[in-house]
Amino acid sequence: MLITATISELKSHLPMPSSGKQIGFVPTMGALHRGHISLVEQAVNENDTVVVSVFVNPTQFNDPKDLERYPRNLEADLRLLEETGCHLVFVPAVNEVYPEPDTRKFNFGDLETVMEGKHRPGHFNGVAQVVSKLFDIVQPHRAYFGLKDFQQLAIIKNMVAQLQLPVEIVSCPIIREESGLAMSSRNELLTADERKNAALISQTLFEAKKLITEKSVPTLAEWITETINKNPFLCVEYVEIVDSSTLQPVENRNSNEEIVCCVAVFCGKIRLIDNIVF
Ligand code: AMP
């Protein structure tokens, strides 16, 4: 496994396009857990060469405190990656990725006016900036993203379509802790008590899935909000039940469309997201 901080060294180790070798790519912000590793393992199974990037992208943080406290643990990350059989790890410094400020403004229309896009202004523009740059550097055939960040996946697919990039976006299932809590680098920032209580988020979503035929969509959203907010450790930022492709709120359940419930919940100071497809 080669670890490099520079674009030129990374490129010199990528297979030539004429070799026909397939490149799989997994962009991450590090503090890796089994969720990330599942993406890397799938990429290793489906490609000849796998590149993982570990880069805490400053342009996608709308809150400087969130950027500052974002967990970083490169040594442990490299140990985990070594076991996956991935080939190249790209760990650039900020000025390797952004030698000049990136002033590009993407337009994702209605996809970015809801949920994370609404509550974290500029977040998806930063995500699109970094992912488009990384795609340009790595030139992957396939790139792997987790359904944990449901809206991010929709944004990335839209960006790939807008820019007509020759990359297949592969969606990977959410990996959860035994308690049901969706794995997240931010879980490391929770106290033991908070972590225990945060499991109520996913448990409520699993219960809600059972209730979907019994309750109307607005009543179900209210029930989820109230159930989570009853726990003193948790405070709901949003609960949205949306069409899984347009991400627009759904009022009535129509059996033809797939709907997904996305939530953002503060557990103490830490903001967690999760979702479930109904
Ligand atoms: P991050 O390091 O948080 O930017 O995440 C890098 C990639 O890992 C993204 O595509 C995430 O959606 C994915 N990911 C993060 N947590 C999980 C999880 N619990 N299960 C599956 N994929 C995940």
Side-chain angles (χ1 to χ4, degrees):
M1 185 174 86
L2 182 108
I3 302 148
T4 179
T6 67
I7 296 171
S8 59
E9 193 183 16
L10 177 70
K11 283 190 168 166
S12 73
H13 285 85
L14 287 171
M16 302 283 279
S18 59
S19 70
K21 291 219 160 112
Q22 301 283 296
I23 302 175
F25 177 46
V26 184
T28 81
M29 297 206 298
L32 302 182
H33 49 67
R34 276 198 291 117
H36 298 109
I37 296 305
S38 71
L39 270 55
V40 181
E41 286 174 345
Q42 190 171 340
V44 168
N45 283 335
E46 296 176 354
N47 299 276
D48 301 302
T49 300
V50 170
V51 182
V52 177
S53 61
V54 175
F55 178 62
V56 181
N57 172 40
T59 74
Q60 72 188 68
F61 284 81
N62 55 317
D63 173 0
K65 280 204 198 96
D66 189 25
L67 173 60
E68 200 181 302
R69 71 176 163 225
Y70 198 83
R72 292 162 170 88
N73 195 346
L74 186 59
E75 259 181 49
D77 291 349
L78 295 175
R79 272 200 301 274
L80 285 174
L81 288 173
E82 190 80 65
E83 288 172 18
T84 64
C86 90
H87 307 91
L88 297 162
V89 186
F90 183 44
V91 193
V94 172
N95 36 2
E96 185 74 3
V97 179
Y98 299 109
E100 305 279 335
D102 192 338
T103 54
R104 289 174 300 161
K105 292 267 180 275
F106 291 81
N107 182 350
F108 297 110
D110 291 342
L111 286 181
E112 64 182 343
T113 58
V114 292
M115 305 191 292
E116 294 302 282
K118 181 167 155 195
H119 289 89
R120 301 183 66 189
H123 169 63
F124 287 124
N125 200 62
V127 169
Q129 286 176 342
V130 75
V131 173
S132 61
K133 272 175 179 273
L134 292 169
F135 280 1
D136 192 47
I137 296 164
V138 177
Q139 302 275 321
H141 297 83
R142 295 183 196 85
Y144 295 78
F145 292 86
L147 281 160
K148 154 95 182 352
D149 298 276
F150 196 90
Q151 190 173 10
Q152 172 171 277
L153 248 164
I155 294 276
I156 299 291
K157 285 183 184 162
N158 187 283
M159 180 194 82
V160 163
Q162 282 188 40
L163 302 178
Q164 297 181 289
L165 303 178
V167 53
E168 180 192 339
I169 301 302
V170 183
S171 317
C172 305
I174 303 176
I175 304 298
R176 298 181 177 280
E177 295 184 0
E178 219 173 293
S179 67
L181 178 65
M183 291 206 168
S184 164
S185 305
R186 288 190 167 89
N187 293 353
E188 285 183 26
L189 303 171
L190 300 171
T191 64
D193 258 356
E194 286 172 340
R195 201 165 178 140
K196 222 183 278 165
N197 283 275
L200 181 70
I201 302 166
S202 58
Q203 286 159 6
T204 306
L205 295 182
F206 301 148
E207 273 310 300
K209 186 166 172 138
K210 295 186 202 150
L211 296 175
I212 184 73
T213 49
E214 285 171 34
K215 291 185 194 283
S216 71
V217 167
T219 315
L220 190 59
E222 241 168 70
W223 178 84
I224 296 169
T225 307
E226 281 170 12
T227 307
I228 296 176
N229 277 342
K230 266 188 212 148
N231 181 300
F233 285 82
L234 305 176
C235 181
V236 166
E237 184 173 58
Y238 66 75
V239 170
E240 294 277 2
I241 298 180
V242 301
D243 178 293
S244 67
S245 26
T246 64
L247 304 188
Q248 299 312 294
V250 165
E251 285 298 321
N252 297 303
R253 194 157 162 266
N254 165 350
S255 52
N256 293 329
E257 67 191 349
E258 184 182 69
I259 59 177
V260 57
C261 177
C262 298
V263 302
V265 178
F266 278 95
C267 184
K269 288 199 176 86
I270 307 307
R271 187 175 179 279
L272 302 172
I273 59 170
D274 198 353
N275 66 78
I276 193 164
V277 174
F278 283 149

